[in-house]
Amino acid sequence: MTSQHNTQTMKPATAAKKLGVYLPATPVEFQEGVVSRDTLRTLRTDPPEWLRELRRDGPHPRPVVASKLGVSIAGLARGGVTEPLTTEQIDALKREEPEWLVRERATQADVRKEAARVKERQAARAEPRR
C-alpha cells in the first residue's frame, strides 16, 4: 500500500496576501491559477522579476502601506487612505507628514507602549515567588 502525497494549494488571493503584494497588480497567470505551497516557497526564496518589482515599487496592499507609514490599517482609513499606494506615494506622504499621519503615528506609538507595559506586567506576575 502506497500513500499518495496531495499537493496543498491556495487561492491566488491567499498567496498574494502571504507574499505581501496587491493581487490585481500581479500577472494574469498568477491571478487565474492556483498556487501550491512549493510554488509559494519558491516565490519567497527566489522571486521572479515581477514580484521583486511589485515589492519595490507597488502598488502595495493596505497592510504593507500601514506598516511602511507606521500606522494601523484603521488609521489609514481614518486618514482617508483606502486604495493601494505605490512606494512613491508612500514616500511623498512621509515627506509631507499630513496632520492625520502625525496623529496616527502617535496613536500607534501609544498602542505599542501599552502593549509593552501589559506584557511586562504579565511577565512579572508569571515569575515564581520566593
Side-chain angles (χ1 to χ4, degrees):
M1 186 185 240
T2 61
S3 63
Q4 271 187 319
H5 177 68
N6 291 336
T7 303
Q8 289 185 328
T9 60
M10 62 192 84
K11 294 177 183 177
T14 304
K17 188 174 185 178
K18 288 179 180 280
L19 292 169
V21 296
Y22 183 56
L23 180 62
T26 62
V28 174
E29 309 83 57
F30 182 85
Q31 292 177 40
E32 293 177 353
V34 291
V35 180
S36 69
R37 289 195 180 273
D38 291 337
T39 301
L40 181 66
R41 191 176 308 108
T42 301
L43 288 170
R44 284 180 169 157
T45 57
D46 186 24
E49 182 57 32
W50 65 264
L51 182 54
R52 287 194 299 270
E53 193 174 301
L54 259 182
R55 286 178 169 166
R56 182 180 56 244
D57 302 329
H60 303 287
R62 287 181 305 154
V64 174
V65 173
S67 175
K68 287 179 179 274
L69 289 174
V71 300
S72 66
I73 294 173
L76 280 180
R78 285 189 295 269
V81 178
T82 57
E83 296 298 316
L85 299 179
T86 64
T87 300
E88 189 177 307
Q89 291 169 313
I90 293 168
D91 291 343
L93 277 173
K94 286 179 179 178
R95 282 190 305 275
E96 294 165 9
E97 282 199 323
E99 184 210 324
W100 71 265
L101 181 56
V102 173
R103 186 177 58 248
E104 291 300 332
R105 281 180 170 171
T107 300
Q108 192 68 10
D110 290 344
V111 167
R112 285 190 198 111
K113 282 181 197 171
E114 179 63 12
R117 185 191 68 77
V118 168
K119 185 176 180 180
E120 192 175 288
R121 184 175 172 201
Q122 289 173 342
R125 285 183 176 174
E127 286 181 9
R129 300 189 183 187
R130 295 173 200 213

